[in-house]
Amino acid sequence: MTREFEIKKEVEVEGTPEQVWDAIATGPGIDSWFMGPHTVDGRLGGRMSIDMGFFQEHSTITAWEPGRHLAYESDKGEDGTFHAMEYLIEGRDQGSTVLRFVHSGILGDGWGDEYLDQSSKGWDMYLFTMAEYVKHFAGRHGTYVFAQWPEGEKSWPALMRALGVPEDAQVGDEVTLEPFGVTGVVDYVVNHDVHQFLGVRGEDGLYRFHGTNAVGHHLFGDATGQAEKWQAFLAQLAGQTSLT
């Protein structure tokens, strides 16, 4: 049985409406804080797509008011399921912006409250990353780098040890991702039994660790070979770690 759903979020961004629009309504902008790569045909009725190889989704733009309002809806599945995204932009004094976001649609069988809880927490992290991108990297377009932990045992403490990051790291701490020699500031932390996220903002990248499943980074320098390096790192760690 299908079910309707709706997730609402609001975030204040230290940037102009034009900068926020570039981040949410262009392919390179979206890739700089969300998954990627995206393509965007920027017009009412235009098409948007994401193609990560193992996952593709295609959508139609249903609202297009530059600097104010963007909405798009994915192609419907055979069972009528779809996802719709809507962004409302409101400029504030002194160059800040409030972004209101709604993710809605229809879910199929097997996608229950746990999925919605994970999606809600995921959007918290992604929209925070968008705000960090606009604040610190506006005008630069990043490359999305994704790597996934291989099948097998996964351990958040082991991942933190391998990165050289204290397990009790807090927002504002300076850390070094030791295997890659990247120094940055911890900007996002969630660490409890069900969900773990770690965000590190470096000079040329936003580094995002999603539980023990994957990394999804946004690199603003040379990203050549980075996905392969991170995949090799996770594969090596998976061969060495245990759940203890």
Side-chain angles (χ1 to χ4, degrees):
M1 180 178 296
T2 59
R3 60 180 292 190
E4 296 182 0
F5 74 97
E6 184 177 77
I7 298 170
K8 293 184 177 181
K9 300 292 179 181
E10 182 176 309
V11 60
E12 186 165 355
V13 184
E14 293 186 37
T16 65
E18 292 76 18
Q19 290 171 326
V20 172
W21 181 260
D22 179 78
I24 67 171
T26 68
I30 299 169
D31 296 348
S32 298
W33 62 273
F34 192 48
M35 297 179 289
H38 278 81
T39 60
V40 179
D41 177 11
R43 59 186 177 85
L44 185 64
R47 297 285 282 171
M48 298 179 64
S49 67
I50 177 174
D51 186 351
M52 297 179 65
F54 64 90
F55 172 76
Q56 300 89 31
E57 186 171 78
H58 304 277
S59 303
T60 299
I61 296 173
T62 57
W64 182 268
E65 300 176 51
R68 296 182 56 196
H69 186 199
L70 170 68
Y72 52 94
E73 183 177 302
S74 70
D75 296 345
K76 288 183 171 62
E78 293 182 357
D79 58 355
T81 56
F82 70 94
H83 293 262
M85 313 292 182
E86 182 174 27
Y87 299 87
L88 292 170
I89 299 172
E90 180 183 341
R92 294 288 176 88
D93 294 338
Q94 300 177 339
S96 67
T97 300
V98 171
L99 179 67
R100 296 180 177 87
F101 169 78
V102 180
H103 177 193
S104 61
I106 296 178
L107 295 176
D109 291 339
W111 299 95
D113 292 339
E114 182 179 356
Y115 168 80
L116 293 177
D117 181 57
Q118 291 176 347
S119 293
S120 180
K121 289 180 169 60
W123 278 118
D124 289 337
M125 185 277 297
Y126 278 120
L127 292 173
F128 174 85
T129 300
M130 184 274 297
E132 288 286 277
Y133 163 61
V134 172
K135 180 179 179 180
H136 297 282
F137 298 99
R140 300 173 67 182
H141 288 148
T143 300
Y144 180 68
V145 170
F146 176 83
Q148 194 163 20
W149 195 298
E151 290 296 325
E153 295 180 338
K154 304 174 178 68
S155 167
W156 184 253
L159 175 60
M160 293 299 99
R161 287 194 298 270
L163 291 171
V165 175
E167 195 175 345
D168 61 352
Q170 301 295 313
V171 171
D173 291 351
E174 184 174 296
V175 297
T176 299
L177 306 179
E178 293 179 354
F180 296 85
V182 172
T183 297
V185 175
V186 175
D187 64 358
Y188 196 84
V189 174
V190 173
N191 189 6
H192 54 74
D193 291 341
V194 180
H195 303 283
Q196 293 95 18
F197 291 112
L198 173 71
V200 176
R201 186 185 73 251
E203 182 178 353
D204 291 307
L206 294 166
Y207 300 85
R208 296 314 189 235
F209 301 88
H210 303 249
T212 55
N213 293 319
V215 301
H217 304 327
H218 309 277
L219 304 183
F220 301 94
D222 183 7
T224 304
Q226 287 297 308
E228 292 79 6
K229 290 179 180 179
W230 280 100
Q231 191 66 58
F233 165 75
L234 293 176
Q236 182 180 23
L237 180 59
Q240 297 174 353
T241 191
S242 68
L243 293 177
T244 58

